[in-house]
Amino acid sequence: MQDQPAISRFPVPDLADMPEDIRMRILAVQEKSGFVPNVFLVLAHRPDEFRAFFAYHDALMDKPGNLTKAEREMIVVATSTLNQCQYCVVAHGAILRIRAKNPLIADQVAVNYRKADITDRQKAMIEFGIKVSGEAHKVGEDDMARLKTFGFDEEDIWDIAAIAAFFGLSNRLANITNMRPNAEFYALGRTM
């Protein structure tokens, strides 16, 4: 087998050299998942930004609300596809498969959410997330009214927009750093 490419074009600190709080978070993730997702190692290059990034990530992705955790991941996969972020499509695709308990859903959403086996409500949610990701300056009252016809309230709309916006930042960082998806992500959630 060939040598694996570097996970980042920027320096990646050794776990032993990381601040204690970051090292403990990474070890907890490793214990839960069985491996360390490369995003943790790459972003540890800048500890203050690592902390801010994951605090906002957790606030958006782990909160209770009308959007399920799987729906939040659908937004990530679809907008990351738009932004051509290999890391996020692969990693969050794995998380989506697991959270939706559906081995096909992530590929369907990544390739063409309009033809995916998801609800019209979810398609409207993704469509709005994509608009926020690519053309936020065009978002208007018609967009809000349309989402409300699917039962989304203002807090839901904020969540969809915030997830799309946050992952726009994440996608750009992943692309700039040349962040590589862990091989483990490709197989996760493929069999149920």
Side-chain angles (χ1 to χ4, degrees), residues 7-110:
I7 64 169
S8 176
R9 63 172 41 107
F10 293 89
V12 175
D14 289 329
L15 194 59
D17 298 332
M18 293 178 193
E20 181 71 13
D21 62 317
I22 292 174
R23 183 171 50 258
M24 297 314 301
R25 177 163 184 156
I26 290 172
L27 291 173
V29 168
Q30 181 179 31
E31 184 175 326
K32 183 178 179 181
S33 65
F35 66 100
V36 178
N38 289 338
V39 66
F40 289 90
L41 300 173
V42 172
L43 296 183
H45 173 65
R46 301 184 77 166
D48 290 340
E49 293 168 33
F50 175 103
R51 292 179 188 102
F53 180 94
F54 283 108
Y56 196 45
H57 172 278
D58 295 351
L60 290 172
M61 301 303 286
D62 295 336
K63 70 185 278 188
N66 294 327
L67 299 180
T68 67
K69 288 185 176 187
E71 288 173 334
R72 292 170 191 276
E73 295 297 338
M74 286 179 196
I75 298 165
V76 177
V77 170
T79 58
S80 296
T81 297
L82 174 73
N83 293 322
Q84 298 183 46
C85 181
Q86 181 186 46
Y87 185 89
C88 291
V89 171
V90 172
H92 289 274
I95 298 167
L96 172 55
R97 288 190 298 274
I98 292 165
R99 291 200 167 152
K101 296 176 178 58
N102 180 337
L104 307 178
I105 194 71
D107 294 332
Q108 291 177 352
V109 169

Side-chain angles (χ1 to χ4, degrees), residues 1-7 178 180-181 183:
M1 184 194 300
Q2 283 184 320
D3 289 336
Q4 294 296 314
I7 64 169
N178 199 34
R180 305 293 301 177

